[in-house]
């Protein structure tokens, strides 16, 4: 049974989608832009800070259902510039431990609000 996951500790959806959807023990977290839910703005233009904010948003959404980052089995990272990959990885590795989740990472032409990164996850 598909149930929306909603928290005030992460940015509200900016379109016709849920922050996340829980189905059984799986949680599918929508792509999280680096929006600070307190200000509605990016923390900075720096990719490290944007990565941290996106992952903090993911963390808060998962926490709404009692999950933590150790439950993440798959991530997808969308980068505006693949040259930011190494800097993104410096922050990303602070949020996960072995066994690391499976991951895909892509450079995309553009992201909403001209973000440098968007991260979605699946947790179990």
């Amino acid at each position: 049974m598909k149930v929306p996951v909603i928290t005030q500790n992460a940015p509200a959806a900016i379109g016709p989608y849920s922050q996340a959807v829980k189905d059984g023990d799986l949680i599918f977290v929508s792509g999280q832009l680096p929006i600070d839910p307190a200000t509605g703005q990016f923390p900075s233009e720096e990719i490290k800070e944007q990565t941290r904010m996106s992952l903090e948003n993911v963390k808060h959404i998962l926490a709404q259902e009692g999950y933590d980052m150790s439950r993440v089995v798959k991530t997808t990272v969308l980068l505006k510039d693949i040259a930011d990959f190494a800097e993104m990885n410096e922050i990303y590795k602070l949020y996960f431990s072995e066994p690391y989740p499976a991951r895909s990472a892509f450079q995309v032409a553009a992201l909403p609000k001209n973000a440098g990164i968007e991260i979605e996850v699946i947790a179990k």
Side-chain angles (χ1 to χ4, degrees):
M1 177 179 201
K2 187 168 80 168
V3 178
V5 176
I6 302 167
T7 180
Q8 300 299 315
N9 296 322
I14 57 174
Y17 62 91
S18 300
Q19 286 174 319
V21 172
K22 187 172 184 183
D23 191 351
D25 65 347
L26 290 173
I27 297 179
F28 300 86
V29 178
S30 293
Q32 294 301 301
L33 294 173
I35 297 172
D36 183 332
T39 66
Q41 303 296 318
F42 298 153
S44 79
E45 294 300 314
E46 298 295 322
I47 196 64
K48 287 182 181 182
E49 283 303 305
Q50 288 197 13
T51 301
R52 184 194 60 75
M53 190 78 257
S54 289
L55 288 168
E56 284 295 314
N57 290 335
V58 167
K59 189 167 121 179
H60 289 302
I61 292 167
L62 293 173
Q64 182 66 29
E65 293 298 313
Y67 285 45
D68 62 30
M69 298 297 270
S70 72
R71 306 275 304 261
V72 174
V73 296
K74 171 72 168 82
T75 68
T76 303
V77 178
L78 305 174
L79 292 164
K80 185 168 67 173
D81 186 349
I82 200 70
D84 290 334
F85 185 83
E87 287 185 77
M88 174 275 298
N89 249 353
E90 287 180 39
I91 303 304
Y92 180 96
K93 71 181 178 184
L94 301 175
Y95 284 81
F96 300 101
S97 57
E98 292 188 33
Y100 297 111
R103 180 176 78 183
S104 300
F106 303 95
Q107 176 174 309
V108 296
L111 289 165
K113 299 185 176 257
N114 201 31
I117 193 166
E118 182 173 357
I119 302 173
E120 68 177 28
V121 309
I122 300 170
K124 182 173 180 179

